[in-house]
Amino acid sequence: MTKPIGDWTWNGATQRLSFLVLDPAFASTLSGDWALDDLDRVFDGLSKRRLERALMDTEHSVSVDLTLAVGQIVQLIGIHTTAGDANGTVLATVRDPVDSDLTPELVPVFQPIVSLRRNRTIGFEALARWKDENGELVRAAIEETALATNMLIASADALAQFQNAADDKTLFMHINLTGLDLMDDGIIGLVSALITGHDLQAGTLRLELTEQAALRDTRKALITIRGLKDIGAGLVLDDFGSGHSSFLWLADLPADSLKVDSALIERVADPRVQTILEALTLMAKRLGMQTTAEGVEDINVLPQLRTLGFDHAQGYALGRPMPLSKALAFLLD
Ligand code: G
Ligand code: MN
């Protein structure tokens, strides 16, 4: 799994790179204040040159993979500040302490989100899948603490690739946050590092939230959510209209987008449901939010969803969740 293990700071005047790393697997190798020339004692030669180039290139944000002399890989992501200085976060791939052969590999898949007005893919939702023993991708069965952290890192990387491939910096990515993530004090730092590290426009990395996820400590969750918005993350209310999703929650949450639950979309032929959907999209518009119809399995309902006021649609009829390479091909097609 990949996770943040500490911070780095580059001082352009003294040409020194400082690592503050607390993770015991890396602290003794990395922590401290390094002269640039001595870094080849830590990284392999190619990595050191890549790092040098990234630190000198003040035009671009920093995102560089480094191989440690001992074989592990770390990633520095961050931004240049004034006077040639730079700083950011250190990410590392660490082996699961449990038998790693028994832990299935996490593979994000990406499902297209389509604009009903422009009739084209304008974003994706990242969904977690696990590679089973036959190499098949299966739905996430394991509830894991590091799940979303990994999904965030992988999906932000994928978003940068999608945006470059399509030459469109407005393309967005939805990533689901769990209740555990909302209680994690490091989440704002990580999301901020990913946004700046990949040079993403504000609002293109969008976090999907459910009221369910905030239930354990609503006040703390709201503080975290507002912090996430402040650093440029987009906010999306997921599964609205079923389960735990109240209007109070909507009143408190500065969301950019509302996803209407598939249980309602499924029943779009029912006139009562149509009235509800129309009211929901109108309300969302007045609150400055976009709306997405979830679980669209039949393309014949698309004109009706448009008439009811939906901006976006997502579902098997428009595209299945796909691995990165397939999703890239789908986007460019
Ligand atoms: O709760 P959330 O909206 O994040 O759930 C998304 C899940 O719904 C994913 O696991 C995805 O595979 C699934 N999904 C996406 N589109 C469709 C669809 O058209 N029909 C059904 N039944 N499931 C879908
Ligand atoms: Mn979702």
Side-chain angles (χ1 to χ4, degrees):
M1 60 175 122
T2 306
K3 60 173 197 176
I5 56 162
D7 301 320
W8 61 270
T9 310
W10 166 247
N11 184 320
T14 61
Q15 299 273 293
R16 280 175 170 269
L17 184 64
S18 303
F19 287 105
L20 180 64
V21 171
L22 298 175
D23 188 294
F26 293 89
S28 59
T29 333
L30 278 180
S31 272
D33 204 17
W34 293 87
L36 196 55
D37 281 341
D38 286 328
L39 278 171
D40 52 7
R41 300 203 200 145
V42 190
F43 303 119
D44 71 15
L46 276 177
S47 297
K48 191 202 154 204
R49 253 163 286 151
R50 272 205 301 280
L51 175 60
E52 245 168 350
R53 228 175 298 134
L55 292 174
M56 303 305 159
D57 177 8
T58 54
E59 299 280 293
H60 296 97
S61 49
V62 178
S63 171
V64 55
D65 288 326
L66 304 168
T67 308
L68 295 176
V70 286
Q72 294 140 309
I73 294 177
V74 296
Q75 188 183 11
L76 302 200
I77 53 179
I79 47 165
H80 290 279
T81 52
T82 49
D85 294 347
N87 63 72
T89 301
V90 187
L91 305 175
T93 306
V94 287
R95 287 240 151 239
D96 204 311
V98 195
D99 189 345
S100 56
D101 291 342
L102 295 178
T103 309
E105 186 189 343
L106 176 66
V107 183
V109 290
F110 304 94
Q111 185 174 35
I113 298 174
V114 171
S115 160
L116 288 170
R117 251 152 284 278
R118 291 191 281 158
N119 260 319
R120 61 186 185 88
T121 304
I122 52 165
F124 288 88
E125 177 176 1
L127 296 158
R129 295 289 184 273
W130 304 85
K131 203 173 258 181
D132 72 6
E133 57 280 4
N134 306 317
E136 299 281 318
L137 295 187
V138 294
R139 278 201 192 199
I142 305 168
E143 196 50 60
E144 218 213 285
T145 325
L147 172 64
T149 306
N150 278 297
M151 284 296 290
L152 271 169
I153 294 167
S155 309
D157 195 278
L159 175 58
Q161 292 189 49
F162 286 135
Q163 291 188 348
N164 283 337
D167 193 19
D168 181 359
K169 295 290 281 177
T170 68
L171 208 90
F172 59 77
M173 178 74 73
H174 286 207
I175 307 160
N176 296 282
L177 283 194
T178 66
L180 282 173
D181 297 315
L182 287 177
M183 296 302 129
D184 176 356
D185 292 321
I187 193 89
I188 295 178
L190 174 63
V191 172
S192 171
L194 291 170
I195 290 173
T196 52
H198 290 295
D199 197 19
L200 300 171
Q201 266 181 25
T204 59
L205 191 75
R206 302 185 175 181
L207 305 171
E208 288 198 8
L209 309 156
T210 59
E211 185 164 6
Q212 181 83 45
L215 281 181
R216 289 188 198 105
D217 186 343
T218 312
R219 208 182 59 86
K220 179 163 178 172
L222 277 172
I223 291 171
T224 304
I225 290 166
R226 295 209 174 94
L228 287 165
K229 189 171 174 83
D230 287 343
I231 54 108
L235 301 178
V236 181
L237 273 188
D238 201 5
D239 299 339
F240 197 81
S242 76
H244 289 280
S245 54
S246 69
F247 289 101
L248 258 182
W249 172 240
L250 193 55
D252 279 335
L253 210 85
D256 306 286
S257 172
L258 187 71
K259 289 184 89 171
V260 178
D261 196 81
S262 54
L264 280 170
I265 304 301
E266 217 166 74
R267 291 175 50 184
V268 69
D270 178 343
R272 291 179 67 89
V273 173
Q274 287 166 12
T275 305
I276 292 166
L277 292 176
E278 202 167 21
L280 275 180
T281 62
L282 180 64
M283 175 190 66
K285 205 162 285 159
R286 295 260 175 95
L287 291 171
M289 292 187 287
Q290 295 179 315
T291 42
T292 305
E294 283 187 306
V296 178
E297 294 187 351
D298 175 6
I299 51 167
N300 295 317
V301 303
L302 292 178
Q304 188 171 24
L305 292 173
R306 200 178 293 126
T307 307
L308 291 171
F310 281 96
D311 299 301
H312 308 150
Q314 178 184 356
Y316 293 164
L318 297 155
R320 296 245 163 195
M322 297 167 267
L324 179 65
S325 57
K326 269 201 180 164
L328 266 171
F330 181 94
L331 176 66
L332 299 177
D333 194 10

